[in-house]
């Protein structure tokens, strides 16, 4: 039930935030490995990207990839949040004094994120026909191309997100700002977590997107980057340090609401289930 509720919470958030994922991905890929000012910027900012994509490709283009996104969110976050929830329910985040331990929370969030992301990596690349074509041309392991490059992103993002959420929720609960079990407690904690996770995750998100998107040779080897460190160095060398934060506005518009909605839905679904169970 923990895994099911976690997956449903993530899917609920995904329906609202998938258009933001489309915009974020396009903004991260424009001007790839080109010096600033040397390329035509198709998207000046988040709002211009929304308008341009809707005008040129149609409004439906903003929900491109929704089906695989829902499957990925259900699988990846169902596993990630489910594992974290089980560990939390067993009291393993509490230190010897019974206080919440941010270190244990961050470690559990990172490990849970790695497991969920690696299992869901093939879905992140595409579905149905795309998966069969990739498997046929590049073999079974081709479905996990770029998965290792994406793991640092998930470790940083998942540990930051879940640790911040649990820590803030515990802190605000101690301050007794809201009544016990108030939905406002989860909402405020998720909002703080959303800001922290975007700052920590955007550089890794940019690199992960580029590793997944790069063309490959006949053997499935990337033609632009040799791996995560090479992609990181090439981006900084060519585009500067701010190249690592391309699309950060779009990243927050996507990751922020997704973090808030998924954590809020997750917390409330678990609370409702426990209340019904009792």
């Amino acid at each position: 039930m923990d895994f099911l509720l976690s997956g449903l919470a993530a899917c609920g958030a995904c329906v609202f935030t998938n258009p933001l994922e489309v915009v974020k991905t396009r903004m991260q890929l424009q001007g790839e490995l080109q010096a600033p000012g040397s390329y035509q910027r198709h998207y000046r900012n988040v709002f211009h990207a929304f308008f341009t994509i809707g005008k040129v490709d149609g409004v439906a283009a903003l929900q491109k990839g929704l089906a695989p996104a829902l499957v990925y969110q259900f699988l990846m976050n169902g596993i990630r949040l489910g594992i974290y929830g089980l560990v939390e329910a067993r009291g393993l985040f509490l230190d010897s004094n019974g206080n919440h331990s941010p270190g244990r929370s961050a470690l559990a969030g990172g490990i849970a994120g790695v497991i969920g992301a690696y299992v869901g990596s093939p879905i992140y690349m595409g579905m149905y026909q795309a998966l069969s074509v990739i498997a046929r041309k590049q073999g079974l392991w081709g479905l996990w191309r770029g998965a290792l490059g994406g793991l640092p992103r998930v470790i940083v993002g998942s540990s930051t997100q879940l640790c911040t959420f649990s820590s803030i929720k515990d802190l605000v609960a101690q301050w007794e700002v809201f009544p016990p079990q108030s939905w406002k407690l989860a909402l405020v904690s998720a909002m703080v977590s959303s800001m922290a996770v975007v700052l920590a995750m955007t550089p890794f998100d940019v690199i992960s997107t580029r590793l997944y998107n790069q063309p490959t040779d006949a053997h499935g080897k990337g033609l632009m980057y040799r791996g995560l460190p090479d992609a990181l160095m090439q981006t900084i060398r060519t585009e500067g340090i701010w190249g690592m934060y391309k699309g950060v506005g779009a990243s927050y518009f996507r990751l922020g609401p997704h973090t808030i909605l998924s954590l809020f839905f997750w917390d409330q679904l678990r609370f409702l289930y426990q209340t019904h169970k009792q």
Side-chain angles (χ1 to χ4, degrees), residues 157-270:
S158 184
S159 61
T160 301
Q161 182 194 65
L162 294 175
C163 174
T164 305
F165 177 73
S166 295
S167 299
I168 295 298
K169 186 180 176 184
D170 182 68
L171 183 63
V172 176
Q174 291 181 24
W175 289 346
E176 299 182 347
V177 177
F178 305 114
Q181 303 301 331
S182 170
W183 59 268
K184 297 176 183 178
L185 179 62
L187 183 61
V188 169
S189 303
M191 290 174 68
V192 175
S193 177
S194 71
M195 292 184 283
V197 75
V198 170
L199 291 176
M201 202 171 177
T202 295
F204 296 93
D205 200 24
V206 171
I207 295 304
S208 177
T209 296
R210 293 183 173 188
L211 286 173
Y212 274 110
N213 190 70
Q214 70 172 327
T216 60
D217 60 19
H219 303 288
K221 184 178 180 180
L223 297 177
M224 297 177 67
Y225 310 109
R226 294 190 298 272
L228 176 67
D230 181 54
L232 181 68
M233 293 307 299
Q234 283 200 61
T235 300
I236 294 176
R237 186 166 55 247
T238 307
E239 304 172 51
I241 191 67
W242 291 113
M244 301 298 298
Y245 279 90
K246 269 189 175 177
V248 66
S251 290
Y252 183 77
F253 274 102
R254 186 269 171 186
L255 285 173
H258 189 274
T259 293
I260 294 170
L261 291 172
S262 59
L263 292 180
F264 177 72
F265 290 160
W266 178 56
D267 185 86
Q268 292 301 295
L269 284 173
R270 289 195 303 163

Side-chain angles (χ1 to χ4, degrees), residues 28-228:
Q28 287 178 342
L29 291 174
Q30 72 171 344
E32 185 173 6
L33 294 186
Q34 297 182 49
S38 64
Y39 61 91
Q40 179 184 0
R41 292 182 62 187
H42 298 288
Y43 313 114
R44 294 192 297 271
N45 52 54
V46 176
F47 303 105
H48 181 251
F50 265 108
F51 176 78
T52 303
I53 293 171
K55 180 181 179 181
V56 176
D57 299 332
V59 177
L62 291 169
Q63 280 290 13
K64 272 189 175 179
L66 178 60
L70 289 173
V71 175
Y72 176 74
Q73 288 295 328
F74 186 84
L75 184 62
M76 186 273 192
N77 277 311
I79 293 173
R80 183 176 73 95
L81 297 178
I83 292 175
Y84 187 87
L86 288 175
V87 175
E88 183 181 40
R90 281 161 176 73
L92 298 180
F93 294 157
L94 302 179
D95 58 23
S96 57
N97 297 320
N99 298 319
H100 180 268
S101 171
R104 295 183 184 183
S105 178
L107 178 62
I111 294 174
V114 166
I115 297 172
Y118 198 78
V119 172
S121 185
I123 306 300
Y124 190 76
M125 295 184 69
M127 278 183 67
Y128 309 127
Q129 184 179 357
L131 290 178
S132 64
V133 170
I134 293 169
R136 186 169 62 252
K137 290 185 176 181
Q138 301 178 19
L140 181 62
W141 290 112
L143 297 175
W144 274 269
R145 179 171 67 85
L148 293 178
L151 291 185
R153 164 187 178 272
V154 173
I155 292 173
V156 171
S158 184
S159 61
T160 301
Q161 182 194 65
L162 294 175
C163 174
T164 305
F165 177 73
S166 295
S167 299
I168 295 298
K169 186 180 176 184
D170 182 68
L171 183 63
V172 176
Q174 291 181 24
W175 289 346
E176 299 182 347
V177 177
F178 305 114
Q181 303 301 331
S182 170
W183 59 268
K184 297 176 183 178
L185 179 62
L187 183 61
V188 169
S189 303
M191 290 174 68
V192 175
S193 177
S194 71
M195 292 184 283
V197 75
V198 170
L199 291 176
M201 202 171 177
T202 295
F204 296 93
D205 200 24
V206 171
I207 295 304
S208 177
T209 296
R210 293 183 173 188
L211 286 173
Y212 274 110
N213 190 70
Q214 70 172 327
T216 60
D217 60 19
H219 303 288
K221 184 178 180 180
L223 297 177
M224 297 177 67
Y225 310 109
R226 294 190 298 272
L228 176 67

